[in-house]
Amino acid sequence: MLVTKQPLFRKFWYPVIPMSELEDKPKSFELLEQPLVLWLDPEGKPAAVEDRCCHRTAKLSLGKVIGGNICCAYHGWTFDSSGNCVCVPQSQDKTISPSYKVKAYKCVEKYGYAWVCLEDAIKDIPQIPEALDPEFRLIPEFYETWNCAGLRVMENELDMAHPTFVHTTTFGSEEHLIPDLMELKETDFGLYYKSVLGVKNPQAQQKNLHMEEDKTFRTIDGYWYLPFTVKLRINYPNGKVHIVVNTMTPINDSTSQMVQFCLRNDTEAETKSADVIAFDRAVTLEDKRILESTDYDVPLDLSNEQHMITDKPGIMIRRKIFALLKEYGEMESSSK
Ligand code: FES
Ligand SMILES: [Fe+2]
């Protein structure tokens, strides 16, 4: 499946840029091959329009923000968050043709990121109750490009057989090749997967989790939100909870922007954010190395790859996406 060949994927919200990166100047982002420019409007809310001026096609992201509007670097035409041109410095009588406009996209702030939907959304932005819970703190972790399909990462996060082989320096345990529990439930937003996995607990993690054991169990509440967001709520026996929320925002068929934050029910005084990020950095780099070696054209037709018991969540993900494509009158696309 090639994501840019399926208009369906334009109907979802994706986090595209951390709000903190919009504070000083406009930023560009390519979403499903659509170049965008984002900036903060007069109220400090994020705005997104096509990154192409309607005058001579210069990239608006080269411009600057003036009074909450985006001003083109070429001749100074200025556009508001609706894409309407509000200033043409060269206009003698100050009139502006209504045809002077650029395409604007829906854009909102959530969880500290600007989210964009290119068309009418068929699902809401994932609801993460812990993000509103004062017991939890939110730590932004990673914002970087991965050379792989988002679908591969979604499956990976719910694949409880890979830690033994991939997470050899972090938490994978040779004693636990499969989880002790696998419960799968289809939901309106995607799926819910409960599992229990025995893991190693290296020293860095013992410190982060305030545990002295070198082995422990993770009880995982896994949520997959159509199409490319996963939340893993990892519950430890001592009551510590580490929640990873990861969206693989599709840039093009072979590339995704990895956007990850975590939520924890401890304080900065108990565990430094830098230590939390350092451990998750090691984990995610172990995944990245493998996932970037996989085909980005992920087949939804199950006969094109081989499967085993622990692939059940990934198989359900493929089935749900396939069903949704059919519902919207689309066929699976492929480069093959
Ligand atoms: S190209 Fe943007 S103002 Fe001329
Ligand atoms: Fe992993």
Side-chain angles (χ1 to χ4, degrees), residues 156-157 159 162-163 166-167 171 283-284 286-288 291:
N156 168 268
E157 301 229 32
D159 163 4
H162 85 279
V166 174
H167 297 300
F171 67 95
V283 172
T284 47
E286 286 174 332
D287 285 317
K288 183 170 185 273
L291 292 167

Side-chain angles (χ1 to χ4, degrees), residues 53 55-58 72 74-77:
C53 183
H55 177 220
R56 287 295 179 269
T57 77
C72 182
Y74 201 174
H75 310 94
W77 289 22

Side-chain angles (χ1 to χ4, degrees), residues 3 38 41 53 85 121 124 134 241-242:
V3 288
L38 283 92
D41 76 5
C53 183
C85 186
D124 292 334
V241 178
H242 180 82

Side-chain angles (χ1 to χ4, degrees), residues 52-60 71-79 85 87-90:
R52 182 177 183 273
C53 183
C54 63
H55 177 220
R56 287 295 179 269
T57 77
K59 283 195 178 303
L60 290 169
C71 176
C72 182
Y74 201 174
H75 310 94
W77 289 22
T78 302
F79 302 87
C85 186
C87 177
V88 175
Q90 300 80 7

Side-chain angles (χ1 to χ4, degrees), residues 69-95:
N69 296 318
I70 184 93
C71 176
C72 182
Y74 201 174
H75 310 94
W77 289 22
T78 302
F79 302 87
D80 66 14
S81 60
S82 308
N84 294 316
C85 186
V86 293
C87 177
V88 175
Q90 300 80 7
S91 170
Q92 298 292 302
D93 58 3
K94 300 286 171 221
T95 59

